Amino acid sequence: MSFLDDATLQNLESKANQIRQSIVSMLVEAKSGHTAGPLGMADIFTAFYFHILNHDPKNPDKEDRDRLILSNGHIVPVRYATMAHAGYFPLEELKTLRKFGSRLQGHPERHMLPGVETTSGPLGEGLSQGAGIAYAGRMDKKKFFTYVLLSDGEMQCGLTWEAGMFAAANKLGNLIAVIDRNNIQINGTTEDVMPLEPLADKWRAFGWHVEEVDGHNISGFIDAINHAKAITTAPSMIIAHTIPGKGIADIEYDFKWHGTPPNADQGAEFLKELRTLQGKIEGGHSE
Amino acid sequence: MLNIKLQLDQDVLHPDTIKLKPTRDGFGTGLIEAGKKDERVVVLCADLAESTRVEEFKKTFPERYIEIGVAEQNLATVASGMANYGKIPFIASYAAFSPGRNNEQIRTTIALNDVPVIIAGCHAGISVGPDGATHQALEDIGLMRMLPNMTVVVPCDAFEAHRATVALAQLGKPGYLRLGREKTPVITTEQTPFEIGTAYTYVDQENPDVVIFACGPFLHTALLVAESMQKDTTSVSVVNVPTIKPLDTKTILEHTKKAGAVVTIEEHQRAGGLGSAIAEYLVSEFPVPMEMVAVNDRFGQSGSLAELTKEYNLDQDSLTQAVSKVIQRKSI
Ligand SMILES: Cc1ncc(C[n+]2csc(CCOP(=O)(O)OP(=O)(O)O)c2C)c(N)n1
Ligand SMILES: [Mg+2]
């Protein structure tokens, strides 16, 4: 049951598709960078920047803004693309990704681009920082929410669980984390490399409110965020099941696309596929 | 100009025919040789098998490959336990994370325990390029060099990395091996000697104005500078110092006395690196004018190797200027 009307939802889906197109173009231009994760998280980033967050692209530092921490910094192309579409900076600048002198560093840096909140890339450090922000905000009776986006690979980092213990111990109801549960990492699937399941049970055992959602169902995701916001006595963990490489049939689910950019020819093919999908979304036949 | 005895690659000074290969490739082949020679050799990796080049070892000796996942602190400490038992573990990740993230685990459970774990820090230096500052380890030599019991090796090319890997497997002590991502010049050959703790004289001038001590792929820049400055009748000796700890103080002192001026070059912070190690030694033994070409208290950033080399003053021009400057200082 969703609270979104059809027009809003269609708008968000269309936005997510445009963001995927930008990601593909950026990576082709950069000739290095990560493809699978950013494409898989485009729907969730769209939901955040175009529906969930209290934020102002023209005033990225406004005091009461919700904080969105990206822990798995390697998927930052999706953040840059979404921020550009939301009006933080010109779309044109996306072409500078990973280039010398660019504000769009290969992994995000706090002082480079207003609105990225923190530096990341080395995995596993986002949940602790988010917990610190949430804790400090609460000390000052601030009303904003702190959202932390995590990858499933980061569930293997001990620090993630140290943060989990801290956040639950301190009942950080203003902290909401989302796991990009795409089942892949570099050496293969997470369950082959270092199994994570039963992941939801683990977070529950750590004292978190846990929900599992389809990470490509934007309205379902927004519902889960709303439930999480209503829980004030515990931090929330939303396990979002996503498809790595989502939108490009040939590369979906394939861990080899973790850190490989499309070349120019592949990029052209990918864009064609996404544009066809765009037509379907706008025609109202997305599913 | 090049020392014939060392049988260096003939094309090393020829821009058209020079061969390029990343040092991590030599680590990959070295591991196979080390694994064949000694069945105690095991490899542990934190979700970076392909890019650290341990993939081939994994295929050759699947039962001696251990996957840790994204958990560098566990990587170091599980390896410590295995070494404690009697294995010879190599741990492979990026230098920013190992020995970056797991520094204290290395300090206590590997160095203080004095067990033979070899830490392979890949993708070190600014040469990781587009990944940017988070991934460009520029302090790893310092971190490892400050630990008692630790040996620190920075190979200049893939062949040297191969030999260093084989040698480190038999060291019986903690070791750090620094490796790069980018393809860099092949300087040595399979015949070129390598021993842990030895510095090698690549360009030996009779009356040198300056000696350059270098480690890692930037040794190549030193060779180019020695060649080009020779045309202007400036005489530059070049010494490859692959082992930063223990330092080959005998060779370093000999060359310093002969030249009376020293320049160092490395892809690392000035604080704590090769130049710093040599300065610490010379300041009490034989102080002479000295210049260090290194990253000077800045983080890296995204860019190509060429762009970053220029931005951080590690290019041929910067090294040439440092040589000229140190010669001037000598005459004051
Ligand atoms: C501390 C740390 N160790 C290793 C890496 C290298 N690394 C980058 S992404 C990645 C895979 C992690 O899996 P996940 O984040 O789930 O990747 P994805 O789903 O985006 O493919 C690894 C090991 C890193 N960035 N940080
Ligand atoms: Mg993943």
Side-chain angles (χ1 to χ4, degrees):
Chain A
M1 191 18 223
S2 166
F3 298 97
L4 294 183
D5 61 61
D6 288 353
T8 310
L9 184 58
Q10 185 182 338
N11 225 333
L12 290 172
E13 284 173 354
S14 156
K15 207 34 110 187
N17 188 280
Q18 289 164 25
I19 287 163
R20 286 196 170 89
Q21 294 179 40
S22 291
I23 292 167
V24 169
S25 304
M26 291 163 81
L27 290 169
V28 168
E29 191 76 32
K31 299 192 178 69
S32 73
H34 300 78
T35 303
L39 289 174
M41 284 295 281
D43 298 308
I44 284 174
F45 268 87
T46 304
F48 270 115
Y49 277 93
F50 291 91
H51 195 84
I52 297 166
L53 290 179
N54 169 15
H55 72 130
D56 179 2
K58 298 295 169 234
N59 182 14
D61 296 329
K62 79 165 180 157
E63 219 194 315
D64 66 342
R65 72 187 184 282
D66 289 334
R67 277 27 174 210
L68 184 71
I69 303 296
L70 176 63
S71 184
N72 48 331
H74 66 274
I75 72 162
V76 74
V78 63
R79 179 172 208 160
Y80 292 149
T82 314
M83 285 174 68
H85 280 272
Y88 278 83
F89 57 86
L91 285 169
E92 194 58 21
E93 194 172 341
L94 292 176
K95 285 192 189 140
T96 67
L97 174 72
R98 291 180 156 252
K99 298 258 160 75
F100 183 67
S102 172
R103 299 195 293 172
L104 312 189
Q105 291 290 296
H107 294 83
E109 275 178 53
R110 176 164 185 252
H111 290 294
M112 284 283 183
L113 186 67
V116 301
E117 302 289 3
T118 195
T119 301
S120 59
L123 295 166
E125 296 173 339
L127 197 55
S128 304
Q129 292 178 70
I133 292 171
Y135 191 103
R138 192 176 66 184
M139 284 172 90
D140 288 359
K141 305 205 164 36
K142 294 287 196 284
K143 295 290 176 224
F144 67 83
F145 280 90
T146 301
Y147 298 98
V148 180
L149 303 185
L150 304 157
S151 68
D152 47 6
E154 291 187 290
M155 299 301 115
Q156 295 164 356
C157 303
L159 187 53
T160 298
W161 300 96
E162 295 174 29
M165 246 183 271
F166 171 84
N170 289 285
K171 302 188 168 47
L172 295 178
N174 55 350
L175 178 67
I176 300 173
V178 178
I179 301 174
D180 174 16
R181 184 68 174 117
N182 64 5
N183 295 299
I184 65 157
Q185 55 188 112
I186 294 179
N187 283 357
T189 67
T190 58
E191 302 316 283
D192 279 344
V193 173
M194 184 58 63
L196 305 177
E197 295 298 339
L199 191 55
D201 289 347
K202 285 179 183 165
W203 283 105
R204 280 195 195 101
F206 268 64
W208 285 58
H209 166 74
V210 179
E211 298 207 13
E212 294 200 62
V213 299
D214 170 357
H216 304 300
N217 177 340
I218 293 180
S219 72
F221 179 74
I222 291 171
D223 285 351
I225 291 282
N226 285 332
H227 299 158
K229 285 167 85 168
I231 307 261
T232 56
T233 52
S236 293
M237 183 61 76
I238 297 173
I239 301 177
H241 294 274
T242 62
I243 299 171
K246 170 76 179 172
I248 315 296
D250 268 357
I251 73 167
E252 285 183 355
Y253 300 102
D254 185 354
F255 72 85
K256 298 214 174 64
W257 280 91
H258 157 87
T260 315
N263 63 30
D265 290 346
Q266 291 166 326
E269 282 300 313
F270 292 6
L271 285 175
K272 211 166 104 193
E273 193 171 337
L274 290 169
R275 286 195 197 109
T276 310
L277 191 60
Q278 186 77 20
K280 286 187 189 157
I281 294 169
E282 279 159 16
H285 311 290
S286 67
E287 294 304 320
Chain B
M1 189 184 81
L2 296 175
N3 184 348
I4 301 169
K5 279 184 261 169
L6 297 177
Q7 306 197 48
L8 301 177
D9 191 285
Q10 307 221 321
D11 294 328
V12 65
L13 292 170
H14 299 116
D16 300 331
T17 46
I18 191 162
K19 304 171 199 75
L20 298 170
K21 211 175 188 190
T23 55
R24 57 180 169 149
D25 283 14
F27 169 59
T29 56
L31 271 183
I32 306 280
E33 186 178 333
K36 284 185 180 148
K37 283 193 166 145
D38 192 329
E39 61 184 27
R40 292 173 301 168
V41 170
V42 296
V43 172
L44 293 79
C45 182
D47 195 25
L48 289 166
E50 207 273 327
S51 60
T52 62
R53 296 294 188 263
V54 303
E55 188 80 33
E56 224 24 63
F57 185 93
K58 177 181 172 179
K59 285 185 192 141
T60 315
F61 305 106
E63 72 293 350
R64 286 200 257 156
Y65 172 87
I66 299 122
E67 178 61 60
I68 298 288
V70 192
E72 291 78 10
Q73 291 159 296
N74 205 33
L75 177 76
T77 36
V78 170
S80 160
M82 295 186 75
N84 184 317
Y85 167 85
K87 300 288 181 189
I88 303 172
F90 279 75
I91 62 176
S93 180
Y94 294 165
F97 316 134
S98 175
R101 170 162 303 187
N102 54 14
N103 196 244
E104 193 276 331
Q105 283 78 21
I106 291 173
R107 178 177 182 271
T108 305
T109 76
I110 296 174
L112 184 54
N113 256 344
D114 202 8
V115 289
V117 175
I118 308 303
I119 302 136
C122 293
H123 289 40
I126 53 167
S127 51
V128 193
D131 274 341
T134 54
H135 285 52
Q136 293 165 353
L138 293 171
E139 53 288 308
D140 52 314
I141 297 176
L143 285 174
M144 292 294 94
R145 188 169 85 68
M146 282 193 287
L147 295 176
N149 293 335
M150 186 66 70
T151 291
V152 178
V153 179
V154 183
C156 70
D157 71 357
F159 282 119
E160 196 167 73
H162 179 110
R163 282 155 183 272
T165 304
V166 176
L168 282 165
Q170 294 307 317
L171 182 65
K173 301 272 289 174
Y176 177 54
L177 180 65
R178 184 186 217 227
L179 300 160
R181 176 189 191 282
E182 273 295 303
K183 287 183 185 157
T184 47
V186 173
I187 301 171
T188 66
T189 62
E190 274 179 79
Q191 283 72 44
T192 307
F194 172 84
E195 270 174 30
I196 293 171
T198 303
Y200 296 93
T201 308
Y202 279 30
V203 180
D204 197 8
Q205 305 283 13
E206 228 168 279
N207 292 302
D209 299 303
V210 176
V211 55
I212 301 177
F213 296 116
C215 69
F218 280 77
L219 170 66
H220 186 248
T221 312
L223 296 175
L224 293 177
V225 166
E227 187 191 37
S228 82
M229 293 191 86
Q230 186 164 278
K231 290 171 198 145
D232 313 328
T233 66
T234 301
S235 181
V236 180
S237 289
V238 177
V239 179
N240 178 19
V241 189
T243 310
I244 294 175
K245 186 182 181 181
L247 207 55
D248 182 352
T249 50
K250 185 167 163 280
T251 304
I252 287 169
L253 187 60
E254 257 169 42
H255 279 283
T256 303
K257 283 184 171 164
K258 208 163 142 192
V262 169
V263 174
T264 59
I265 181 166
E266 64 196 305
E267 193 187 351
H268 187 271
Q269 296 288 358
R270 192 182 145 99
L274 168 75
S276 166
I278 291 176
E280 286 160 19
Y281 169 69
L282 289 178
V283 75
S284 52
E285 287 300 319
F286 196 81
V288 296
M290 178 167 175
E291 292 292 325
M292 296 182 206
V293 176
V295 177
N296 201 353
D297 203 25
R298 292 170 67 193
F299 282 109
Q301 58 181 303
S302 292
S304 69
L305 178 55
E307 286 162 340
L308 297 177
T309 301
K310 197 160 186 305
E311 174 67 21
Y312 291 90
N313 300 319
L314 290 168
D315 58 341
Q316 198 176 329
D317 284 350
S318 304
L319 183 58
T320 305
Q321 279 165 26
V323 169
S324 304
K325 187 171 167 201
V326 88
I327 292 173
Q328 263 176 9
R329 285 176 56 198
K330 216 171 144 179
S331 59
I332 304 172

